[in-house]
Amino acid sequence: MSNIRTDLALEAREMYQQNANQESEVPGVEVENAGSKDISVTRVKVTSSEGVEAMGKPMGSYITLEVPRLREKDQDLQEDVCKTLAKEIYNLIKIDKKSNVLVVGLGNWNVTPDALGPKVVSSLMVTRHLLEYIPEQIDEGVRPVCAIAPGVLGLTGIETGEIIRGIVDRVKPDLVIAIDALASRRLDRVSTTIQIADTGINPGSGVGNKRMGLTLQTLGVPVIAIGVPTVVDAATMANDTIDLVIDSMIKQVEQGSAFYETLKNMNRNDKYALIQEVLSPYIGNLMVTPKEVDTVIEDVSKIIANGINIALHEGIELDDVNRYVH
């Protein structure tokens, strides 16, 4: 696999095909495309060890919603994304209608690009306590849901995975849903893409931090991960920019320059390594995020929260959510 940083299975698949110079499917990987022009849905399923090696991702299902106009604050579109997200989450949930669900909002609420998880938790229908103390006032079909935003190691001094494992041991949920900010290798996917996976998640992996994973193996219960890329690695961005500039120059020059052709024919990993070597002394391991990231996080967190709300609670519509969210 390439060392270009991405958390998206869709991009891992694209990079494998690019590095192999082929358009045929990755071995051990099944792909299904659905959705519409406004909301593209790509379902990638890693089915074998060969696929794991090729993709650098654990075996399981990865569903990606690409919504190019997500930043435009179109309310109708946002509602459509909520419903599409809810449908995809519902299809991954394999638990009883009365089963208890723990939602974990990963990230640092003091850093806007990393505040997606805590923001989602703040807009979530938390119902476990209501069903315990005032069940007669709760609508039929509402599931017991509890939530936690545990912060990050730098704030608490405790590994996030250890906190969650302690809560799981005590609360004994039947399912954990973890939400986290991700990293992409393409600027156009930042804040316009939502990934759902049934393989769990490694907190902090998007920015190069290796932490204890939240998975079936570490927690003892199934874990569904939902993430949105909010940052892109600076070297990756520079790499893509150079590719665009080279393509433009070659089109403008009839024969093309030998220099440009040499750059174009360089292996993508070699270009990335060269750019990283040049940038590192000056900017270190820099991650880039859009300037309007605060409003983007606000909008996307509500979309994800409502998608989870609709998926978990049978018969609940968007108009019903406000009665349970404080």
Side-chain angles (χ1 to χ4, degrees), residues 152-317:
V152 293
L153 179 64
L155 293 176
T156 65
I158 309 171
E159 283 281 1
T160 303
E162 293 177 354
I163 296 174
I164 303 307
R165 186 163 57 189
I167 294 172
V168 167
D169 289 346
R170 181 71 177 178
V171 175
K172 302 190 184 306
D174 300 287
L175 174 71
V176 172
I177 298 178
I179 301 101
D180 199 7
L182 307 178
S184 174
R185 63 167 291 273
R186 279 177 43 180
L187 278 171
D188 60 345
R189 285 197 174 117
V190 171
S191 305
T192 64
T193 303
I194 303 172
Q195 177 176 270
I196 316 160
D198 63 2
T199 57
I201 194 169
N202 288 294
S205 63
V207 291
N209 296 329
K210 301 299 182 184
R211 296 287 180 256
M212 171 184 162
L214 305 181
T215 65
L216 174 62
Q217 290 72 31
T218 60
L219 298 182
V221 296
V223 180
I224 291 177
I226 303 174
V228 174
T230 59
V231 295
V232 62
D233 181 60
T236 300
M237 181 179 67
N239 200 7
D240 287 347
T241 303
I242 287 176
D243 284 344
L244 292 172
V245 170
I246 292 170
D247 289 343
S248 176
M249 286 180 171
I250 288 178
K251 287 176 182 176
Q252 293 177 25
V253 180
E254 185 173 335
Q255 298 296 327
S257 162
F259 172 70
Y260 300 139
E261 290 289 354
T262 300
L263 281 178
K264 187 170 182 65
N265 291 329
M266 279 182 69
N267 179 281
R268 183 176 180 84
N269 290 335
D270 292 339
K271 277 190 291 184
Y272 178 83
L274 176 62
I275 293 166
Q276 196 172 43
E277 183 179 345
V278 171
L279 291 179
S280 290
Y282 303 100
I283 59 175
N285 190 15
L286 179 69
M287 307 300 290
V288 181
T289 194
K291 65 179 181 179
E292 69 275 15
V293 67
D294 51 346
T295 58
V296 168
I297 291 294
E298 195 71 34
D299 290 344
V300 174
S301 63
K302 289 179 180 176
I303 289 171
I304 294 176
N306 286 332
I308 295 173
N309 291 334
I310 296 170
L312 293 183
H313 305 288
E314 187 177 313
I316 291 293
E317 302 291 340

Side-chain angles (χ1 to χ4, degrees), residues 31-238:
V31 178
E32 179 185 352
N33 295 304
S36 62
K37 184 178 72 172
D38 286 332
I39 308 172
S40 171
V41 180
T42 305
R43 303 184 185 101
V44 176
K45 189 171 185 180
V46 181
T47 59
S48 70
S49 56
E50 192 176 12
V52 170
E53 184 177 354
M55 295 276 288
K57 304 287 182 185
M59 271 192 278
S61 297
Y62 302 84
I63 303 162
T64 307
L65 276 61
E66 293 182 90
V67 191
R69 297 196 300 111
L70 193 57
R71 298 183 196 173
E72 295 180 9
K73 289 188 157 309
D74 184 323
Q75 187 171 353
D76 291 336
L77 176 62
Q78 290 181 356
E79 289 183 4
D80 288 343
V81 176
C82 278
K83 293 172 183 176
T84 303
L85 178 64
K87 180 180 177 182
E88 298 298 334
I89 295 172
Y90 181 81
N91 290 337
L92 284 181
I93 295 174
K94 298 178 176 65
I95 55 175
D96 185 80
K97 293 179 181 180
K98 299 296 183 180
S99 296
N100 189 16
V101 177
L102 170 65
V103 179
V104 179
L106 300 169
N108 187 343
W109 47 77
N110 295 319
V111 181
T112 305
D114 196 32
L116 177 69
K119 285 279 189 182
V120 170
V121 166
S122 69
S123 298
L124 203 67
M125 283 178 56
V126 178
T127 58
R128 180 173 176 264
H129 61 307
L130 301 177
L131 286 164
E132 183 176 349
Y133 295 113
I134 50 171
E136 70 282 354
Q137 298 182 32
I138 305 303
D139 295 336
E140 186 71 24
V142 172
R143 181 196 299 274
V145 174
C146 51
I148 183 73
V152 293
L153 179 64
L155 293 176
T156 65
I158 309 171
E159 283 281 1
T160 303
E162 293 177 354
I163 296 174
I164 303 307
R165 186 163 57 189
I167 294 172
V168 167
D169 289 346
R170 181 71 177 178
V171 175
K172 302 190 184 306
D174 300 287
L175 174 71
V176 172
I177 298 178
I179 301 101
D180 199 7
L182 307 178
S184 174
R185 63 167 291 273
R186 279 177 43 180
L187 278 171
D188 60 345
R189 285 197 174 117
V190 171
S191 305
T192 64
T193 303
I194 303 172
Q195 177 176 270
I196 316 160
D198 63 2
T199 57
I201 194 169
N202 288 294
S205 63
V207 291
N209 296 329
K210 301 299 182 184
R211 296 287 180 256
M212 171 184 162
L214 305 181
T215 65
L216 174 62
Q217 290 72 31
T218 60
L219 298 182
V221 296
V223 180
I224 291 177
I226 303 174
V228 174
T230 59
V231 295
V232 62
D233 181 60
T236 300
M237 181 179 67

